[in-house]
Amino acid sequence: MEVMDVFATPDLPGYLKAKAQQGWLVVGTVGCPGPEITQSFKVPITSCLEFVWDQPTLLVLGNEGSGLSPDVLASCQLLLTILPRRHLPPGLESLNVSVATGILLHSICSQKKSFPTQAEKEQLLQDT
């Protein structure tokens, strides 16, 4: 939160679609993908360790209960997941959203050492 901008909008799906049309990559998040999750999504799912941050990107995180809404999921171009290093106990299918956010941001930001340009910040602010 200290080094990244945070934005809010009353129409998240519309905002994400507009940003995608402007060239931003809209990346959503999902829990550990089992066969039932992988088959139900039309958006590709990749591990956060395999994600390459090479363009302006919006990372969208869902709530801990139901994740991203169907409208927001439909607005995503890619879904990230954190693959566990060991088998999760029965009934545990995802991490606390703040823990997942920390893991995802560490994984993504460790690739890129520079901060967003002023032009990138201004482009985000235009539509909020």
Side-chain angles (χ1 to χ4, degrees), residues 5 29 111 116:
D5 296 316
T29 56
Q111 297 179 29

Side-chain angles (χ1 to χ4, degrees), residues 32 82-90 92 95:
C32 185
I82 302 166
L83 296 177
R85 299 255 183 207
R86 58 188 169 89
H87 219 51
L88 294 175
L92 182 63
L95 299 169

Side-chain angles (χ1 to χ4, degrees), residues 83-120:
L83 296 177
R85 299 255 183 207
R86 58 188 169 89
H87 219 51
L88 294 175
L92 182 63
E93 61 186 42
S94 67
L95 299 169
N96 169 285
V97 71
S98 65
V99 171
T101 301
I103 293 169
L104 290 166
L105 290 177
H106 175 75
S107 176
I108 294 169
C109 292
S110 64
Q111 297 179 29
K112 195 169 188 174
K113 302 297 182 217
S114 64
F115 293 101
T117 65
Q118 188 61 34
E120 290 173 333

Side-chain angles (χ1 to χ4, degrees), residues 1-7 61 98 101-102 105 109 115 121:
M1 300 296 288
E2 294 177 13
V3 297
M4 301 185 93
D5 296 316
V6 178
F7 300 92
L61 296 127
S98 65
T101 301
L105 290 177
C109 292
F115 293 101
K121 288 182 183 181

Side-chain angles (χ1 to χ4, degrees), residues 54-75:
D54 59 358
Q55 69 185 88
T57 301
L58 294 171
L59 180 63
V60 186
L61 296 127
N63 69 39
E64 294 172 24
S66 57
L68 298 173
S69 71
D71 290 344
V72 171
L73 268 174
S75 303

Side-chain angles (χ1 to χ4, degrees), residues 30-72:
V30 293
C32 185
E36 69 286 345
I37 290 179
T38 306
Q39 294 171 359
S40 65
F41 290 124
K42 294 180 178 153
V43 180
I45 301 173
T46 190
S47 164
C48 64
L49 298 174
E50 296 173 2
F51 175 72
V52 177
W53 186 17
D54 59 358
Q55 69 185 88
T57 301
L58 294 171
L59 180 63
V60 186
L61 296 127
N63 69 39
E64 294 172 24
S66 57
L68 298 173
S69 71
D71 290 344
V72 171

